């Protein structure tokens, strides 16, 4: 695997994260850069989903990826094989990224020619939901083995996501996962959330997801 | 299902959590109460494992359970069916419990006649690892679908755990999970960590886990 650049992120000094996030979002819109904030529990399949997403969209857009992790660069090394521009962000123990930290990452990535940047946030359903990163859209992955009751337990995460990818549907026969209940609970938290069942390993559902994301990026760039 | 008591936990005012944790641990030792801090990602099977654990140990000990959650009381309602004494702790959005918050929970639970208290911490591999709760021992559950690389990504969590339960081994054939690598990575973080493969759903491995916990509780009470 290739070596990847690692950026040690500094903790933010800004008290008003919402303001910083709005400023960053406005700046990205001006530059025509779409930022997707991708969140999930540890082990839900963010990196595999991302590999498939890059594969599906690499002819449409120049793609950049920021891999946020407490430690290690295993995901960034995997992603670097995809041809996307990658940077590893080390959060120094921090459990989330805020807008200023995201900005540091974007500067490190150098987004000059990039259309779509995906931020793979720290694996955590609690803290990342509390901080607006300045992203154009928020996405999360809920995997089948985690159970359909997660929207009941992590309400904020589901309420802020524009799209929920329900991953690992290939193992549905082996788990007590009720897709109807899952949909009901997600919509209880956020009636407008789009829900797309996928299997990143086999590719099932990835076309619908890629279509959704392609449209969003195009709309964003059309309104720069 | 039964109604359960819900306690809204207040945020701590103590700057020195380590000191508060040591005080709480000393107090619990004096009272002969063993506190197990059980941590994991969302959806790794904490509640099912806990149900099986209570079943295995209820003739040996009087058991109490504190269910910490951002919101909801679904887990506490499930656990209340087991016959254990249960209290639901709402963290008000907080992503972890510290020693003072744990103490509030123990007071709410009323541990007078209890030998073993299990704290089901918030589902999160990052923040709970940073705060000593005052527990006698730390345990975590890593489930097979999450992947064997998690000790590389969440080093602190694995380094502070006395025991790691590798859950959902019944689905090993459907996932690329390498138990040898998992063991190697866990021991890289913590050479003394005990690793027990289990399947809480079928009961596999639960005897070894119950034996380990029984011994720990007995030793704790013998040295009061």
């Amino acid at each position: 695997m290739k070596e990847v650049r690692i950026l040690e992120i500094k903790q933010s000094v800004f008290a008003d994260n919402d303001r910083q996030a709005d400023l960053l979002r406005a700046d990205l819109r001006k530059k025509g850069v779409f930022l997707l904030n991708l969140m999930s529990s540890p082990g839900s399949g963010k990196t595999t989903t991302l590999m498939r997403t890059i594969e599906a969209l690499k002819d449409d857009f120049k793609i950049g990826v920021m891999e946020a992790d407490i430690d290690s660069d295993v995901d960034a090394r995997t992603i670097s094989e995809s041809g996307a521009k990658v940077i590893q962000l080390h959060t120094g123990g921090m459990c989330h990224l805020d807008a200023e930290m995201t900005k540091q990452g974007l500067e490190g990535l150098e987004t000059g020619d990039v259309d779509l940047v995906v931020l793979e946030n720290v694996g955590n359903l609690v803290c990342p939901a509390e901080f607006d990163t300045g992203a154009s859209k928020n996405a999360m992955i809920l995997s089948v083995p985690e159970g359909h009751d997660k929207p009941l337990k992590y309400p904020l995460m589901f309420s802020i996501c524009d799209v929920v990818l329900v991953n690992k549907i290939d193992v549905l026969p082996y788990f007590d996962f009720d897709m109807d209940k899952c949909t009901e609970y997600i919509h209880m938290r956020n009636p407008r959330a789009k829900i797309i069942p996928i299997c990143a390993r086999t590719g099932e559902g990835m076309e619908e997801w890629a279509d959704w994301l392609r449209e969003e990026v195009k709309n964003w760039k059309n309104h720069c």
Side-chain angles (χ1 to χ4, degrees), chain A residues 23-221:
Chain A
L23 287 172
L24 178 58
R25 200 161 19 243
D27 184 50
L28 289 172
R29 195 181 270 283
K30 213 165 20 175
K31 291 176 176 157
V33 177
F34 182 97
L35 175 62
L36 180 77
N37 178 22
L38 183 61
M39 295 171 286
S40 83
S41 291
S44 67
K46 281 198 295 299
T47 308
T48 311
T49 304
L50 198 41
M51 288 293 282
R52 287 270 185 187
T53 307
I54 294 165
E55 201 180 298
L57 296 179
K58 68 182 176 193
D59 294 335
D60 300 282
F61 308 118
K62 171 85 178 165
I63 302 172
V65 174
M66 302 192 289
E67 283 289 334
D69 260 310
I70 303 292
D71 202 355
S72 94
D73 61 354
V74 286
D75 291 342
R77 288 156 66 106
T78 306
I79 295 290
S80 70
E81 303 290 306
S82 71
K85 207 169 174 177
V86 184
I87 192 165
Q88 174 76 52
L89 311 182
H90 277 178
T91 64
M94 289 285 285
C95 49
H96 66 275
L97 289 184
D98 63 16
E100 167 57 23
M101 294 161 88
T102 303
K103 196 177 162 198
Q104 290 173 45
L106 289 163
E107 284 164 4
L109 185 68
E110 296 168 359
T111 55
D113 55 345
V114 175
D115 307 296
L116 163 64
V117 177
V118 183
L119 167 62
E120 192 181 317
N121 214 314
V122 181
N124 183 330
L125 291 189
V126 185
C127 318
E130 292 167 22
F131 295 87
D132 188 343
T133 58
S136 315
K137 292 284 171 183
N138 290 320
M140 76 159 291
I141 303 177
L142 171 68
S143 64
V144 165
E146 295 171 60
H148 57 253
D149 63 346
K150 291 301 156 289
L152 299 179
K153 295 187 177 178
Y154 303 91
L156 186 62
M157 174 57 77
F158 288 87
S159 71
I160 63 152
C161 276
D162 301 287
V163 58
V164 178
L165 303 176
V166 181
N167 193 22
K168 306 191 187 179
I169 54 170
D170 58 329
V171 295
L172 272 169
Y174 314 112
F175 290 91
D176 306 321
F177 187 97
D178 187 326
M179 191 68 83
D180 291 338
K181 273 194 190 152
C182 183
T183 303
E184 179 193 330
Y185 295 157
I186 293 170
H187 284 153
M188 208 165 94
R189 297 307 181 192
N190 181 2
R192 292 170 300 106
K194 179 154 182 75
I195 301 169
I196 308 177
I198 63 166
C199 176
R201 199 166 61 157
T202 64
E204 201 179 338
M206 291 306 292
E207 205 170 329
E208 186 182 353
W209 159 238
D211 287 347
W212 182 89
L213 186 54
R214 190 184 293 108
E215 274 313 295
E216 292 292 334
V217 178
K218 282 185 182 165
N219 285 340
W220 183 262
K221 292 179 81 76

Side-chain angles (χ1 to χ4, degrees), chain A residues 10-22:
Chain A
K10 288 174 203 70
Q11 220 168 314
S12 305
V13 292
F14 295 102
D16 187 354
N17 182 61
D18 286 346
R19 167 93 180 119
Q20 296 302 319
D22 286 339

